[in-house]
């Protein structure tokens, strides 16, 4: 399958740039025709080259030629992380291993990781999608990107790296960690763009403030933060701490890594690269498709991947599709910020709780620092939830009575949103563990009943 790599940088209507304007602003009719053509080629590739898919499709009685419209996607089989694990390491590849130029893997906490393979063309496409992402934030050839995503099997580091080089940036492959050095390099080299997780961006902002650096002392104009859920409240804090536009970037290893969707400077949801990924949102219980605007589980079918086509991959991420046109001029459908994952949703005494709901409350309280941890435990048969929050030096110097009143008011605000009682524990400044990569927001100490 040939993948166009024509590059003609253009301007979008939100103050950013387009890397492949023709693809990014393609009329929807044309886009749907392209999606169908690519879906058919993907089905051929999967059916002919991946025994898992041949078996699944035979069982369902579907042949690649049966798919003559995009709606027929709902007749195709789903793919889950378990399927990928079962075919570890290379059983889901549609190309012989010696045609695969790169392998990444996702960080599984238990069991086998899931592996992802790329042909040369897959790597080039990925580079284009990241170039689109950076350009949308106004990054142009000649900008200097400090890439603080982890390098290695994780797709963040190398993904951003290749895309930034493709765009023509100077890339500093600093990887995560060593905050002192990050701040020094940022200023000495004059980094105009930054890529790292939102929790690490916040950590850098704090570290800069502690060293007496003001946002205007930092040269970074725009940051690309993703790989974990974060709220608009946290965005505001990062933006004022680093003096940058903080943009969201979404992806997952199974789809090839970051660059599946990205935000433009309108900051109103992430544009899905629909010429390369067919998106659906489904009800995770009934598995039926949901209309735009309704929150459900995001499901993707790859449309151009050669080495590892995936059909209807269940991401477990919960969000809604936004079909209204965006002011930036891109024609793609957007996805709202994922509110969490259907599988890391906590069920506390029967109530579904998403860590992001707690984050929203905490971030709206000025005296609370943007570092927190949610600790879930079980006392007898009852789930108990503690929210550890760090408070600023000023508040910590108050009297016990003041602290207690403050703690009760935070508890009440969380109760208003969740309708369950949580115990808020106020922690001294800098005592909650920081992360250089994805933040550990939830510690679940419960064992199965
Ligand atoms: O996190 C890829 C990535 C790297 C994305 C750098 C963005 C930037 P995985 O390690 O496979 O891949 O984790 C994928 O992380 O299913 C989501 O649950 C979560 N995730 C990724 N981006 C976002 C985001 C990379 N912007 C899993 N908002 C996904 C919320 C995100 N969650």
């Amino acid at each position: 399958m040939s993948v166009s790599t024509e590059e003609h940088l253009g301007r979008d209507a939100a103050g950013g740039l387009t890397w492949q304007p023709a693809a990014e602003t393609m009329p929807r009719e044309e886009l749907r025709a392209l999606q169908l053509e690519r879906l058919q080629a993907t089905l051929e590739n999967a059916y002919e080259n991946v025994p898992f898919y041949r078996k699944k499709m035979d069982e369902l009685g579907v042949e690649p030629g049966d798919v003559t419209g995009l709606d027929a996607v709902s007749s195709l089989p789903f793919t889950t992380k378990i399927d990928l694990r079962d075919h570890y390491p290379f059983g889901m590849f549609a190309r012989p291993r010696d045609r695969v130029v790169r392998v990444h893997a996702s960080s599984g906490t238990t069991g086998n990781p899931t592996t992802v393979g790329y042909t040369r063309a897959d790597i080039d496409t990925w580079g284009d999608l990241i170039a689109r992402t950076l350009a949308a934030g106004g990054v142009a050839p000649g900008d200097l990107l400090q890439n603080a995503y982890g390098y290695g099997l994780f797709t963040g580091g190398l993904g951003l790296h290749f895309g930034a080089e493709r765009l023509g940036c100077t890339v500093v492959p600093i990887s995560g960690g060593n905050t002192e050095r990050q701040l020094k390099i940022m200023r000495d080299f004059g980094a105009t763009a930054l890529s790292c997780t939102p929790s690490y961006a916040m950590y850098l902002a704090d570290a800069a403030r502690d060293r007496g650096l003001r946002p205007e002392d930092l040269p970074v104009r725009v940051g690309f933060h993703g790989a974990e859920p974060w709220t608009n409240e946290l965005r505001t804090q990062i933006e004022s701490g680093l003096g940058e536009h903080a943009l969201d970037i979404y992806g997952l290893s199974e789809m090839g890594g970051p660059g599946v969707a990205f935000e433009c400077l309108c900051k109103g949801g992430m544009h899905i690269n629909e010429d390369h990924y067919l998106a659906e949102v489904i009800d995770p219980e009934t598995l039926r498709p949901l209309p735009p605007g309704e929150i459900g589980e995001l499901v993707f079918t790859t449309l151009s991947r050669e080495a590892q086509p995936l059909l209807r991959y269940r991401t477990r991420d919960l969000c809604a599709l936004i079909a209204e046109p965006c002011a930036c001029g891109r024609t793609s459908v957007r996805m709202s910020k994922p509110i969490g994952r259907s599988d890391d949703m906590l069920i506390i005494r029967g109530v579904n709780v998403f860590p992001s709901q707690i984050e929203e409350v905490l971030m709206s309280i000025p005296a609370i620092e943007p570092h927190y941890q949610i600790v879930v435990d079980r006392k007898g048969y009852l789930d108990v939830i503690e929210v550890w929050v760090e408070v600023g030096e000023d508040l910590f110097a108050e009297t016990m009575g003041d602290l207690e009143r403050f703690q009760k008011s935070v508890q009440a605000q969380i109760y208003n949103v969740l309708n369950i009682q949580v115990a808020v524990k106020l922690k001294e400044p800098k005592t909650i563990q920081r992360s250089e990569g994805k933040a550990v927001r939830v510690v679940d100490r419960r064992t199965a009943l």
Side-chain angles (χ1 to χ4, degrees):
M1 194 184 316
S2 77
V3 175
S4 154
T5 52
E6 290 156 52
E7 296 114 28
H8 313 278
L9 266 178
R11 292 203 167 276
D12 71 15
L17 301 167
T18 46
W19 171 244
Q20 294 170 310
E24 291 176 60
T25 59
M26 188 178 280
R28 289 211 59 86
E29 283 276 289
E30 230 176 276
L31 178 63
R32 289 182 72 78
L34 177 68
Q35 285 185 311
L36 179 58
E37 190 188 304
R38 290 184 171 180
L39 175 63
Q40 287 164 336
T42 296
L43 288 174
E44 265 321 313
N45 186 19
Y47 191 78
E48 292 306 324
N49 302 313
V50 187
F52 166 80
Y53 281 126
R54 176 177 286 254
K55 184 161 172 274
K56 280 252 179 181
M57 286 167 69
D58 284 348
E59 278 165 12
L60 290 171
V62 193
E63 282 186 23
D66 296 343
V67 173
T68 52
L70 285 178
D71 289 348
V73 74
S74 58
S75 66
L76 298 174
F78 285 107
T79 312
T80 64
K81 206 174 186 74
I82 295 170
D83 296 326
L84 296 181
R85 288 216 171 115
D86 286 350
H87 294 84
Y88 173 82
F90 305 142
M92 293 291 277
F93 286 7
R95 292 288 181 277
R97 211 270 307 131
D98 61 5
R99 294 274 317 281
V100 169
V101 301
R102 173 116 52 94
V103 176
H104 280 281
S106 82
S107 51
T109 41
T110 50
N112 289 332
T114 49
T115 35
V116 215
Y118 306 76
T119 61
R120 162 71 40 216
D122 291 335
I123 293 282
D124 288 346
T125 304
W126 190 15
D128 280 330
L129 301 188
I130 295 292
R132 287 182 190 179
T133 305
L134 299 172
V139 174
D143 265 305
L144 191 141
L145 175 78
Q146 179 154 340
N147 186 18
Y149 281 116
Y151 280 67
L153 285 177
F154 176 56
T155 50
L158 283 174
L160 270 286
H161 185 112
F162 272 63
E165 282 188 353
R166 198 164 176 86
L167 179 61
C169 298
T170 309
V171 189
V172 181
I174 190 161
S175 198
N178 201 339
T179 305
E180 202 63 58
R181 193 168 56 150
Q182 299 273 358
L183 290 174
K184 178 174 168 50
I185 297 272
M186 186 184 285
R187 300 175 69 216
D188 292 351
F189 291 12
T192 45
L194 170 70
S195 45
C196 62
T197 55
S199 49
Y200 194 54
M202 199 58 238
Y203 186 35
L204 284 175
D206 276 1
R209 194 192 50 204
D210 289 350
R211 285 158 186 76
L213 295 170
R214 294 161 306 166
E216 54 274 27
D217 298 327
L218 306 172
V220 171
R221 252 183 11 242
V222 57
F224 301 88
H225 309 304
E228 63 187 9
W230 56 307
T231 54
N232 281 319
E233 286 72 14
L234 189 61
R235 186 205 306 269
T236 310
Q237 305 237 15
I238 295 174
E239 292 192 327
S240 62
L242 292 176
E244 62 161 37
H245 284 291
L247 299 181
D248 204 348
I249 165 172
Y250 171 88
L252 56 160
S253 323
E254 294 82 354
M255 287 292 119
V260 172
F262 61 93
E263 245 176 0
C264 64
L265 285 165
C266 295
K267 301 176 190 169
M270 291 176 272
H271 289 276
I272 297 176
N273 282 308
E274 287 186 281
D275 47 343
H276 296 281
Y277 300 98
L278 185 63
E280 300 169 80
V281 165
I282 62 163
D283 178 325
E285 301 292 322
T286 64
L287 306 182
R288 292 220 187 85
L290 293 173
E294 283 190 33
I295 291 187
E297 182 181 334
L298 195 54
V299 170
F300 284 115
T301 300
T302 64
L303 294 178
S304 62
R305 301 198 72 218
E306 292 181 340
Q308 201 172 1
L310 290 185
L311 307 182
R312 305 190 85 200
Y313 183 72
R314 293 190 57 181
T315 65
R316 306 284 169 188
D317 291 320
L318 297 172
C319 69
L321 294 177
I322 306 169
E324 289 82 38
C326 181
C328 74
R330 287 178 186 77
T331 47
S332 44
V333 156
R334 284 165 288 156
M335 57 182 271
S336 62
K337 271 180 168 306
I339 57 165
R341 294 173 54 83
S342 60
D343 54 3
D344 71 17
M345 175 179 80
L346 296 164
I347 303 183
I348 311 289
R349 282 168 254 151
V351 179
N352 295 350
V353 175
F354 291 102
S356 61
Q357 293 177 296
I358 296 179
E359 179 177 307
E360 261 171 44
V361 174
L362 298 179
M363 296 296 136
S364 68
I365 305 172
I368 290 183
E369 298 290 314
H371 305 287
Y372 67 94
Q373 214 158 36
I374 299 164
V375 182
V376 192
D377 213 338
R378 186 170 282 140
K379 295 229 164 86
Y381 288 100
L382 207 62
D383 298 326
V384 287
I385 178 165
E386 283 184 2
V387 179
W388 297 3
V389 297
E390 243 181 59
V391 294
E393 302 274 359
D394 293 355
L395 191 73
F396 228 82
E398 302 282 329
T399 64
M400 279 308 274
D402 288 335
L403 277 177
E404 211 168 290
R405 260 190 301 281
F406 179 73
Q407 179 225 10
K408 291 236 161 66
S409 104
V410 179
Q411 273 176 198
Q413 292 183 58
I414 295 179
Y415 182 83
N416 280 343
V417 174
L418 300 182
N419 269 313
I420 55 164
Q421 291 292 353
V422 305
V424 168
K425 301 266 164 181
L426 302 182
K427 299 279 174 185
E428 284 182 51
K430 311 242 173 336
T431 50
I432 291 180
Q433 204 187 347
R434 305 294 195 259
S435 81
E436 289 161 2
K438 300 193 192 221
V440 182
R441 299 292 197 200
V442 180
V443 180
D444 198 340
R445 296 183 177 149
R446 291 174 296 181
T447 44
L449 272 174

